């Protein structure tokens, strides 16, 4: 049996356990809601605006959670059930188990992401017109890459954790640190080092530390790819709530190599490789008894 065989079995198990349907439903609903927002706040939104609205905190926040739910029990769950010994009794290595689990769980998330983008693309076409297909496809591939990154982290943690509870605790702590606290931590460190907060042109080490965060690297790469996002102003008057479209937010100009989109994509690939290798090295020496 090879890593591909394990990935196929993992995908089949996800279908039977309804994990695939759950992830697909969550992501599809999320993408459809964000893509339909311009229809309610703008008079005559374009397809570009619909595509731009699919990017945002909702996807950046929820995608890692779905990946964590899919991957945190991938290895440690087999150990807790005792099925890991049966899996390893067949003629394949622990490396094949790690790689197979990564491929299988990533395939589940890729199917969910692809379905979400297909539905959102159809909705954008129906509401605003035909979107830029190349941009939407590239954005979907970038989102699959980011999803694989989060799955790799979850599988790597699952490989060295002794229980699924500990794996979940580590991943939740990492999620809160990277999504909620990362910017605040960098601001605090910059204040200690320089005596003030980072301005519009932060030093190179702040830019590097920012983009090393996988959620920030995904956001940086997608911002550079997608059309400019229009601002929405809400005015409350006696006539009720009114919305107006303001100036757009352009993709930030590159001020260093750390702000280049290709660097952000390279960071995402590194976040796939590093947790997988570390998890394998730990799992290779682990005592399964």
């Amino acid at each position: 049996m090879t890593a591909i065989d394990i990935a196929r079995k993992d995908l089949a198990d996800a279908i039977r356990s309804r994990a695939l349907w759950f992830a697909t439903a969550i992501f599809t609903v999320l993408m459809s809601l964000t893509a339909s927002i311009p229809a309610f706040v703008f008079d005559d939104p374009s397809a570009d605006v619909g595509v731009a609205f699919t990017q945002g905190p909702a996807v950046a926040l929820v995608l890692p959670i779905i990946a964590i739910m899919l991957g945190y029990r991938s290895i440690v769950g087999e150990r807790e059930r005792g099925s890991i010994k049966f899996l390893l009794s067949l003629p394949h290595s622990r490396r094949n188990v790690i790689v197979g689990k990564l491929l299988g769980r990533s395939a589940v998330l890729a199917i969910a992401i692809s379905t979400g983008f297909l539905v959102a693309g159809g909705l954008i076409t129906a509401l605003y017109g035909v979107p830029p297909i190349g941009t939407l496809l590239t954005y979907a591939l970038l989102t699959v890459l980011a999803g694989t990154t989060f799955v790799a982290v979850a599988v790597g943690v699952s490989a060295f954790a002794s229980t699924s509870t500990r794996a979940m605790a580590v991943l939740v702590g990492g999620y809160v640190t990277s999504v909620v606290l990362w910017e605040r931590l960098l601001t605090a460190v910059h204040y200690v080092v320089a005596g003030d907060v980072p301005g519009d042109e932060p030093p190179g080490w702040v830019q590097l530390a920012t983009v090393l965060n996988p959620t920030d690297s995904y956001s940086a790469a997608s911002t550079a790819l997608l059309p400019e996002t229009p601002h929405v102003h809400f005015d409350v008057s006696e006539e009720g709530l009114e919305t107006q479209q303001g100036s757009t937010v352009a993709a930030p100009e590159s001020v260093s190599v750390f702000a280049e989109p290709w660097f952000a994509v390279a960071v995402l690939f590194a976040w796939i490789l590093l947790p997988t290798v570390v998890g394998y090295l730990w799992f290779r020496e682990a005592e399964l008894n």
Side-chain angles (χ1 to χ4, degrees):
M1 185 177 288
T2 66
I4 299 298
D5 297 319
I6 296 176
R8 288 174 178 169
K9 180 182 181 301
D10 224 39
L11 182 58
D13 291 342
I15 294 174
R16 284 193 294 268
S17 67
R18 301 180 180 177
L20 174 61
W21 313 118
F22 176 78
T24 301
I26 293 293
F27 196 79
T28 300
V29 170
L30 185 66
M31 290 293 291
S32 300
L33 287 176
T34 53
S36 61
I37 289 177
F40 299 99
V41 299
F42 297 136
D43 293 332
D44 186 23
S46 65
D48 285 350
V49 173
V51 173
F53 263 74
T54 59
Q55 182 206 23
V59 174
L61 295 176
V62 174
L63 187 63
I65 294 176
I66 298 175
I68 289 174
M69 297 304 296
L70 288 175
Y72 85 99
R73 298 189 75 244
S74 55
I75 304 295
V76 72
E78 299 274 5
R79 295 177 64 178
E80 289 177 330
R81 292 190 298 269
S83 56
I84 191 69
K85 294 180 180 179
F86 172 75
L87 193 61
L88 290 172
S89 67
L90 300 175
H92 59 80
S93 65
R94 298 191 184 195
R95 181 183 59 189
N96 287 339
V97 173
I98 294 283
V99 175
K101 293 291 183 180
L102 173 61
L103 293 177
R105 306 300 164 109
S106 299
V108 173
L109 191 58
I111 292 173
I113 293 172
S114 301
T115 304
F117 270 91
L118 281 174
V119 174
L123 189 61
I124 292 172
T125 303
L127 293 175
Y128 321 120
V130 179
I133 302 300
T135 299
L136 192 61
L137 179 60
T138 306
Y139 180 38
L141 293 175
L142 180 63
T143 306
V144 170
L145 175 63
T148 304
T149 297
F150 303 129
V151 171
V153 173
V155 172
V157 171
S158 183
F160 73 77
S162 57
T163 66
S164 57
T165 303
R166 292 179 180 177
M168 175 58 80
V170 171
L171 290 168
V172 169
Y175 174 84
V176 172
T177 301
S178 63
V179 175
V180 180
L181 300 178
W182 192 252
E183 183 178 352
R184 293 174 175 83
L185 290 174
L186 291 181
T187 300
V189 173
H190 187 275
Y191 188 84
V192 172
V193 173
D196 59 2
V197 298
D200 296 334
E201 296 183 2
W205 68 268
V206 173
Q207 297 180 42
L208 174 60
T210 299
V211 80
L212 288 181
N213 185 336
T215 56
D216 284 325
S217 58
Y218 169 60
S219 178
S222 56
T223 298
L225 170 69
L226 294 175
E228 297 176 354
T229 305
H231 273 176
V232 182
H233 300 290
F234 295 93
D235 297 322
V236 180
S237 62
E238 295 180 353
E239 289 76 17
L241 180 65
E242 296 181 355
T243 58
Q244 295 180 352
Q245 179 174 338
S247 58
T248 58
V249 178
E253 296 182 0
S254 297
V255 294
S256 73
V257 66
F258 308 132
E260 295 288 348
W262 66 263
F263 189 84
V265 173
V267 170
L268 291 178
F269 276 107
W271 271 106
I272 295 175
L273 181 63
L274 184 62
T276 304
V277 171
V278 172
Y280 164 66
L281 293 177
W282 189 282
F283 183 58
R284 185 181 61 180
E285 306 297 334
E287 176 58 57
L288 300 181
N289 290 330

